[in-house]
Amino acid sequence: MRFLLFMGLLASFAGLAGMADCSDADKRFVHEQVSSPTFEETKTNRMYKVKHGQVCVVGNALATDGMRYFLYTIGPSVRYIAVHNGLNGHVQMHGPFRPE
């Protein structure tokens, strides 16, 4: 049930016309985390109520495979990354990450 709620929230945010692209620093952070050999170990079922301005979108610069990353900034020092597969609609949440 939680997964369906998360999918609904993610779909509603993905449909917003004003969803911001991430800054260059955030894009580097996401790509460093995703390409890390330990990224799969960070998978979580944790969910947060997302407020406007807490989410930005990073397209996959490595391939045009429909993958998009959503960076969730929770407070000043905690981040989560949602990996959205545009081909089958599957979403995986990873984190928490602490930016350096």
Side-chain angles (χ1 to χ4, degrees):
M1 182 65 179
R2 285 183 173 186
F3 180 73
L4 292 176
L5 177 62
F6 175 73
M7 290 294 294
L9 286 173
L10 187 61
S12 66
F13 281 107
L16 293 176
M19 184 174 279
D21 285 336
C22 293
S23 68
D24 288 340
D26 287 340
K27 288 177 184 179
R28 278 192 305 277
F29 176 80
V30 168
H31 288 299
E32 286 172 7
Q33 296 304 321
V34 170
S35 62
S36 166
T38 60
F39 184 69
E40 282 302 312
E41 298 170 12
T42 63
K43 208 180 301 184
T44 183
N45 292 329
R46 195 119 195 221
M47 294 184 302
Y48 287 95
K49 185 173 183 177
V50 180
K51 299 175 186 171
H52 181 69
Q54 287 183 308
V55 180
C56 64
V57 181
V58 177
N60 188 352
L62 303 176
T64 57
D65 56 2
M67 299 293 276
R68 287 194 302 169
Y69 305 105
F70 295 83
L71 179 64
Y72 293 76
T73 304
I74 311 297
S77 63
V78 177
R79 295 178 179 177
Y80 285 84
I81 298 172
V83 180
H84 180 262
N85 183 336
L87 299 176
N88 65 10
H90 187 257
V91 177
Q92 289 181 346
M93 186 69 109
H94 295 264
F97 301 103
R98 307 225 183 264
E100 297 172 1

